[in-house]
Amino acid sequence: MFQFKKLHVMALATFLFTFAGIIGANSEIHASNSDQFVKSPVPEVIKKYVNSINNKDWDSYVNLYSPDNRLTDFPGEEQQKNRTGILSVDSIEISEIKEISEKDINEIQPYFSDIDRGLYQDIKYFYIGLDYNVQNENEFFYNGVRYQSFAVGKLNGVEYILGNEFVYEFDKLETLGYTFDSAAEYEAIIREERRLGGNDNPLNSGGIQPQSSTNPTNGLTLYITSTKTLKTLGFDDYAKDVLPNEWYASMKSEALKAGAVAIKSYAWYNVTYPRRPATDFGAHLTDKWENYQHYVPGKRHVNTNAAVDSVSGIFMRNSDGVVFDTQYRAGTEGQPGTESGGVLSQHGTQYLATNYPLWNYKAILGYYYNFSDKSSGYIQVR
């Protein structure tokens, strides 16, 4: 999932939230929409962002993010050596762009509600199709158009990228009239539908069989990248070597329990819906945080071990009793995060556990996932 130690990165980690495009001096992008052209002004910060990626100017790339969301120690030695994440992109081009109104953005992309609107000015939101040319295709970066939403805004007169997210659900965009109805967009929608299609999923090239979405198996198969070996282990055992790398061991016990359940449920989801790159190696997950969750054997802590033990055998299901993608992100320290946003805030679990001492981990999990895009009603935690 996302390395919690980099707390000032708007979650889903470096590679998940990167976009760019090759654009010239023109301030507009024209996208064919059967009978018309769709055009929106391209913010200057996005033009600079595009150029930084295509020129491999990573110092400029980092500094285009707002100060509170800026990466540290990027790119790392391993990223440079193996060209992982955004470094795998050879070039990128903006193919389609539309501005999203402020009244619609929370419905389309609720994660942006974490942006401090009192700190930043002239905040604008966009829906954009990005045509990637990559060195090595993977689940997140592949040759072709991928769609993302992003926010830009100004601080002390300087324009920054405040956040960006991959688009997985297109229904709300279509309902509110923001889709392009282009061939590229249609292909992207089909690809996302197939991504969750289990063994029929073309991204599942390893033949890993999908499992039950209502009852978890006894465990999972994990690919260890350093040794290129497979490891079979139970969900609790797996979570003990993930939780201290995704949450702080010093956090409240109920926050850690919430994290343990989220981690195990995310692992179960990947067992149920196996996908690349893990399936390339005959596994359900890998140990790399860039792709899944940050698994580091031997990094266990007494506090996180106790949290995992206390929720042994407990997972999340939606109101229909089905496992769901338990996404989580760092969030902002001292803030709870978005209620019913469908994405848990790691900092938010500590905030809720501290400020609402009567809340247990089930209440904390419900705050994020109840009545969200992950569950139409109350989630089941059992």
Side-chain angles (χ1 to χ4, degrees):
M1 179 76 59
F2 319 112
Q3 189 176 16
F4 187 46
K5 307 311 180 196
K6 296 186 188 238
L7 297 176
H8 296 299
V9 180
M10 286 193 75
L12 287 184
T14 305
F15 75 104
L16 283 179
F17 302 142
T18 310
F19 60 92
I22 303 174
I23 53 180
N26 294 333
S27 63
E28 295 181 336
I29 293 294
H30 300 271
S32 177
N33 182 5
S34 64
D35 298 320
Q36 62 178 341
F37 283 98
V38 178
K39 55 184 180 179
S40 291
V42 179
E44 289 298 320
V45 69
I46 296 179
K47 294 181 184 181
K48 295 176 182 178
Y49 190 95
V50 165
N51 291 333
S52 70
I53 294 172
N54 286 299
N55 294 329
K56 307 301 183 285
D57 183 356
W58 302 120
D59 287 339
S60 296
Y61 167 83
V62 169
N63 291 327
L64 289 169
Y65 277 104
S66 55
D68 57 338
N69 294 318
R70 193 165 292 166
L71 295 167
T72 58
D73 301 323
F74 177 82
E77 182 177 345
E78 181 181 354
Q79 290 172 307
Q80 296 183 69
K81 178 181 178 181
N82 298 316
R83 287 194 66 182
T84 59
I86 191 61
L87 274 69
S88 71
V89 177
D90 289 325
S91 63
I92 197 169
E93 180 178 345
I94 297 178
S95 63
E96 301 174 309
I97 182 171
K98 279 187 180 180
E99 185 171 351
I100 301 173
S101 72
E102 187 171 4
K103 71 179 181 64
D104 291 333
I105 191 61
N106 286 339
E107 187 172 353
I108 293 173
Q109 191 56 271
Y111 315 144
F112 289 161
S113 62
D114 287 344
I115 295 172
D116 189 343
R117 290 169 172 79
L119 178 64
Y120 297 101
Q121 302 82 42
D122 299 329
I123 300 175
K124 294 183 179 180
Y125 311 94
F126 296 87
Y127 170 52
I128 185 169
L130 301 159
D131 194 355
Y132 285 95
N133 178 24
V134 303
Q135 180 187 41
N136 297 307
E137 289 190 300
N138 57 60
E139 178 193 353
F140 303 103
F141 292 108
Y142 48 78
N143 292 311
V145 180
R146 188 86 197 264
Y147 290 82
Q148 294 171 238
S149 58
F150 62 95
V152 301
K154 293 181 179 180
L155 176 65
N156 298 325
V158 179
E159 190 175 51
Y160 293 104
I161 295 171
L162 307 183
N164 54 312
E165 305 275 353
F166 280 135
V167 173
Y168 295 99
E169 300 290 341
F170 293 81
D171 290 347
K172 291 180 180 178
L173 284 159
E174 182 178 11
T175 299
L176 294 170
Y178 289 103
T179 49
F180 299 102
D181 297 328
S182 63
E185 187 180 52
Y186 177 74
E187 291 176 4
I189 293 171
I190 295 299
R191 187 180 181 100
E192 290 306 321
E193 290 176 349
R194 290 178 176 174
R195 186 177 66 91
L196 303 180
N199 201 44
D200 293 329
N201 184 350
L203 297 183
N204 179 358
S205 60
I208 299 299
Q209 295 298 316
Q211 302 297 324
S212 172
S213 62
T214 55
N215 294 295
T217 60
N218 292 328
L220 57 95
T221 301
L222 182 71
Y223 179 72
I224 307 298
T225 54
S226 60
T227 59
K228 297 181 173 59
T229 58
L230 296 174
K231 183 175 184 179
T232 301
L233 65 169
F235 288 107
D236 287 354
D237 196 24
Y238 169 75
K240 286 182 178 180
D241 283 322
V242 172
L243 184 57
N245 309 309
E246 297 280 7
W247 266 254
Y248 287 134
S250 59
M251 286 183 165
K252 298 283 188 179
S253 62
E254 295 303 315
L256 294 177
K257 292 176 187 177
V261 174
I263 287 167
K264 292 194 300 173
S265 300
Y266 177 82
W268 175 23
Y269 180 84
N270 281 272
V271 170
T272 302
Y273 303 108
R275 55 197 172 97
R276 293 181 65 188
T279 53
D280 290 341
F281 309 108
H284 298 114
L285 302 103
T286 78
D287 59 350
K288 297 187 71 172
W289 66 268
E290 294 96 332
N291 301 121
Y292 299 99
Q293 300 181 117
H294 195 193
Y295 176 90
V296 182
K299 291 291 186 178
R300 300 183 179 192
H301 189 279
V302 61
N303 292 349
T304 50
N305 282 351
V308 173
D309 287 337
S310 67
V311 295
S312 179
I314 295 175
F315 296 84
M316 274 187 285
R317 299 165 175 85
N318 64 20
S319 55
D320 294 323
V322 175
V323 66
F324 59 91
D325 189 3
T326 56
Q327 296 174 359
Y328 57 84
R329 62 188 303 188
T332 303
E333 188 172 0
Q335 296 183 19
T338 304
E339 184 175 6
S340 298
V343 176
L344 177 147
S345 164
Q346 293 158 300
H347 273 308
T349 62
Q350 175 72 352
Y351 176 92
L352 294 173
T354 302
N355 291 278
Y356 299 89
L358 297 181
W359 284 28
N360 62 13
Y361 70 93
K362 293 183 179 181
I364 293 173
L365 293 170
Y367 174 86
Y368 298 104
Y369 299 117
N370 288 340
F371 301 96
S372 69
D373 61 344
K374 305 300 190 303
S375 178
S376 60
Y378 292 102
I379 62 170
Q380 303 174 23
V381 185
R382 54 183 174 82

